[in-house]
Amino acid sequence: MRQNVLSRGHPIQSLIESALSKGRRGIMHVRGPARCGCFKKQISHNRTFSAKSPEKNQAHPSKSSVTIQENRFDSTGLGLPALIENELLRQARTILQSSMIPDTSAVEETLQACEKFAQILAEEAQSAGQGSDLERTPASKLLSLEESQHGMKDQDWRTAPLTENAKSAAAQLISSIAYKIITDPKVYINPKLLLIYVNVQSLLRRPRSLPEIFHLYASKPVPKSNTSPIKYSTPISNKPSAHIPLHIANTALTAAMKSKNLSLCFDIINTSVCARAFRMSKFFRKAFAPISGAVLAPFAIHKLASELSVYLSTMDSKMATQVLFAGIMAYVGFTATIGVVAVTTANDQMDRVTWATGTPLRERWMREEERMLIDRVAGAWGFQQRSRRGEEGGPDWEALREWIGMRGMVLDKTELMDGME
């Protein structure tokens, strides 16, 4: 059986307390030699350890006899806290204290390291939750009595989970490092860095800063290269390239829903899919080509009609061109109109949130992603059983219903609910 806490004086516990207690308020100074060159090879999801004795490792932590499997995140055996102190903080301090524009690859590597550490903490929290469920059974309690008599000699002490305070301090430190890097004026936020940052905060269950970063992604001044001191240019926040990708918005919204923060969900939706840049991007990606085709269609159809009129001998060539042009235009126009109406009025993807009566079709199509994310929030806050839908209540639910209504949508439209057709 795995113990829930580490004993006082335990090597890993002492490293946690010494390394992370300094970083609760932000970036801390590195003590001891930095272990360079082992960062990429050290991080992995393999979590198997074996050790000879905790006493020996405690006396000589840097020369430990711990044998670690290939691709483990620390080849020295010092573990996650030592790597945060010796590698992650060192790289972050290099970026933050530099007077030059940092290399994008260096920033990306540091944020990816934060993501790796966040993944390790997430796996640790998940395994600890599963272990606590098992320890509630009577059989496991009897076995724990027997194991407590033998102490930790017969088990691998490095597989014992960290304490909750240590994990919380580690998560806070990693989150603070990622936030300081992404908000540094010298760092240019590209879509890849934004995705990594969202993944880090989602794994650490700290999504509160995501709306701020989404706004910063579009409005943060861009540093100019080859300038000393660094000069910045003001970006155009409404340009299509400044939009938040939909998959990133979905990831951020999932983290906010797991934290049960309704106002945070509203802020994420407002700063992502409701932004003008997102709608401009959607227009150019999905509507520009069809509209261009509709504009050029009459010229192409007239050319086609003039060519076909040569093969008609029953009427004048000019009359034949006009008849063919009118017929082909009518066919293309009616077919395109039916297609547009079918696309803009489709509601098979709607669950609990639908459009209010009288909403223009163009607005329905343009704001479909907004409605989709709001639908996800309504599904997470309401009952999961379809038979109980409509029975929800409380301040949060009423605030959600009012917020949806202000956006031209309806929550649980009566005629669309089960049994109300």
Side-chain angles (χ1 to χ4, degrees), residues 43-321:
I43 300 176
S44 174
H45 297 293
N46 184 8
R47 307 186 63 80
T48 305
F49 287 90
S50 62
K52 289 185 178 181
S53 64
E55 293 79 10
K56 184 175 182 180
N57 293 328
Q58 185 175 1
H60 305 284
S62 61
K63 299 180 180 180
S64 174
S65 60
V66 177
T67 59
I68 302 176
Q69 292 188 0
E70 186 179 3
N71 291 333
R72 179 55 182 162
F73 59 82
D74 188 4
S75 59
T76 62
L78 294 180
L80 179 64
L83 275 180
I84 295 178
E85 184 176 9
N86 295 331
E87 292 291 343
L88 187 56
L89 289 177
R90 177 183 60 81
Q91 294 187 5
R93 189 176 62 175
T94 301
I95 295 173
L96 296 175
Q97 295 181 354
S98 175
S99 59
M100 305 298 294
I101 300 176
D103 188 15
T104 304
S105 60
V107 178
E108 181 180 337
E109 181 182 352
T110 305
L111 288 180
Q112 285 178 345
C114 294
E115 185 179 8
K116 299 282 187 180
F117 288 131
Q119 182 66 36
I120 293 173
L121 290 177
E123 292 176 357
E124 184 71 22
Q126 184 177 4
S127 61
Q130 294 175 354
S132 62
D133 293 338
L134 294 175
E135 289 176 358
R136 295 191 185 99
T137 61
S140 62
K141 293 181 179 180
L142 293 176
L143 292 175
S144 63
L145 293 177
E146 181 180 358
E147 290 187 357
S148 62
Q149 298 176 358
H150 296 84
M152 298 185 66
K153 295 181 180 180
D154 298 333
Q155 65 174 331
D156 187 0
W157 56 271
R158 284 190 179 268
T159 61
L162 304 175
T163 61
E164 292 299 326
N165 292 335
K167 287 187 289 187
S168 177
Q172 179 62 31
L173 178 57
I174 296 172
S175 176
S176 176
I177 292 173
Y179 178 80
K180 288 179 180 295
I181 291 175
I182 206 73
T183 56
D184 187 75
K186 303 184 300 295
V187 175
Y188 172 72
I189 307 177
N190 56 35
K192 191 170 184 179
L193 295 182
L194 180 64
L195 176 60
I196 297 174
Y197 180 82
V198 171
N199 289 336
V200 169
Q201 302 297 351
S202 299
L203 290 171
L204 297 176
R205 298 183 179 181
R206 284 170 166 77
R208 189 174 296 274
S209 63
L210 295 181
E212 177 188 354
I213 300 303
F214 284 172
H215 175 73
L216 199 64
Y217 175 75
S219 59
K220 185 178 182 181
V222 180
K224 296 181 179 180
S225 58
N226 301 325
T227 57
S228 181
I230 302 176
K231 297 181 180 180
Y232 300 89
S233 61
T234 303
I236 302 176
S237 59
N238 294 330
K239 63 181 181 180
S241 60
H243 78 284
I244 303 296
L246 183 59
H247 66 280
I248 296 180
N250 270 309
T251 303
L253 185 63
T254 300
M257 291 190 298
K258 288 182 179 179
S259 64
K260 299 298 181 181
N261 192 333
L262 186 60
S263 61
L264 180 60
C265 295
F266 293 164
D267 292 338
I268 289 176
I269 294 175
N270 286 331
T271 54
S272 57
V273 295
C274 291
R276 182 177 176 83
F278 184 87
R279 298 179 182 178
M280 293 290 291
S281 174
K282 181 178 181 179
F283 173 81
F284 283 105
R285 286 184 292 108
K286 297 184 177 182
F288 184 76
I291 292 177
S292 300
V295 172
L296 297 176
F299 302 98
I301 292 174
H302 186 273
K303 180 65 177 178
L304 178 62
S306 62
E307 293 293 335
L308 293 178
S309 64
V310 178
Y311 301 96
L312 295 179
S313 58
T314 57
M315 62 181 68
D316 183 57
S317 176
K318 185 177 180 180
M319 178 64 69
T321 300

Side-chain angles (χ1 to χ4, degrees), residues 262 266 351-356 371 374-383 389-394 396-417:
L262 186 60
F266 293 164
D351 187 21
R352 305 196 65 169
V353 178
T354 56
W355 294 107
R371 188 213 59 79
I374 296 175
D375 207 345
R376 288 189 57 199
V377 176
W381 254 258
F383 290 122
R389 291 186 176 181
E391 301 177 7
E392 294 89 353
D396 284 352
W397 187 255
E398 294 302 324
L400 178 61
R401 185 187 298 275
E402 182 179 358
W403 188 72
I404 292 174
M406 293 173 60
R407 293 179 170 272
M409 306 175 195
V410 180
L411 177 61
D412 290 337
K413 205 170 187 178
T414 305
E415 56 267 26
L416 297 180
M417 297 181 67

